[in-house]
Amino acid sequence: MKLQIQGDTRVPGDKSITHRALMFAALAHGESRLSGLLPGEDCRSTASVLRALGCAIPEIPEDGSEIRVTGHGPGEWRRPEAELDCGNSGTTARLMMGLLASRPFAATLTGDDSLRGRPMRRVTAPLQRMGARFNEAERLPIEIVGGPLRSLEYASPTASAQVKSAILLAGLAAGVPVSVTEPAQSRDHTERILAALGVDVRARGA
């Protein structure tokens, strides 16, 4: 029996990694080359939010081909002219809260009906402890007022890659050390990418 596979057999991009790749490219100074991105609606929401903050993010190609992102660091991000629409993407909303927590302006995150019904306090609570301010901590739309942040040692009551990533991104963008303890190990996409980029990331008990 001969099995013949026709068409494109490449493995599609990963959604969680695509979100983070776009965010790190927008945080970086200089050119990032990204390929194999997942062209899904959630990832396009992340790209759209970053564009609204002044980041030059090309459209995500359907075929996974390379895009180039020239970043100037979060210090060049600008206050958005309208609400930042995260669509149906909880990853976009929660991780962007971490990135916006240290920016010296106010920004409002919102989303579709489904996303506006999802809980956000598990992310806003630790960010508030770092110094970020929110007009609403439970549900989108949420206005976040950023500014200088302080370091944080956080014991998360749940194992959540989104909560952990929001705190790590807040520390990275603000330039302050943070640590997160979890009751069980959550996915480590953020830590792996940070380590690959040369950031000092230390994990115990993995």
Side-chain angles (χ1 to χ4, degrees):
M1 180 176 175
K2 183 178 180 180
L3 177 64
Q4 183 175 9
I5 300 176
Q6 296 179 336
D8 191 347
T9 59
R10 289 177 298 178
V11 176
D14 179 85
K15 182 168 70 170
S16 295
I17 294 176
T18 298
H19 284 299
R20 289 160 173 80
L22 292 169
M23 292 178 185
F24 283 121
L27 280 173
H29 291 268
E31 184 182 81
S32 298
R33 299 182 179 184
L34 310 177
S35 60
L37 300 176
L38 181 70
E41 286 305 312
D42 283 4
C43 299
R44 289 194 168 108
S45 291
T46 289
S48 177
V49 167
L50 291 169
R51 289 188 201 108
L53 293 166
C55 306
I57 306 292
E59 292 295 327
I60 300 175
E62 292 288 342
D63 62 358
S65 57
E66 181 182 273
I67 65 170
R68 300 188 181 190
V69 178
T70 300
H72 301 284
E76 295 297 315
W77 291 11
R78 63 169 184 249
R79 180 174 182 170
E81 297 178 356
E83 292 184 337
L84 300 171
D85 187 357
C86 302
N88 188 243
S89 177
T91 302
T92 303
R94 295 185 177 110
L95 269 59
M96 285 306 307
M97 285 183 190
L99 289 176
L100 290 168
S102 64
R103 297 305 88 209
F105 51 72
T108 299
L109 293 163
T110 190
D112 64 13
D113 290 344
S114 173
L115 185 57
R116 290 197 299 270
R118 295 186 221 170
M120 295 291 161
R121 181 173 287 279
R122 60 180 179 168
V123 173
T124 58
L127 294 178
Q128 283 176 320
R129 288 176 53 181
M130 295 182 72
R133 292 176 289 154
F134 301 90
N135 72 323
E136 158 66 41
E138 292 285 355
R139 299 284 190 274
L140 298 180
I142 293 177
E143 181 187 60
I144 177 171
V145 181
L149 300 182
R150 49 186 171 267
S151 61
L152 177 69
E153 294 183 3
Y154 186 66
S156 179
T158 60
S160 168
Q162 291 182 355
V163 173
K164 177 175 59 178
S165 295
I167 295 169
L168 293 175
L169 290 172
L172 179 67
V176 298
V178 294
S179 68
V180 180
T181 303
E182 301 180 290
Q185 184 180 2
S186 61
R187 290 173 296 140
D188 61 352
H189 297 101
T190 299
E191 299 96 298
R192 287 175 179 266
I193 297 175
L194 283 170
L197 294 174
V199 177
D200 183 15
V201 180
R202 305 175 190 180
R204 294 190 298 272

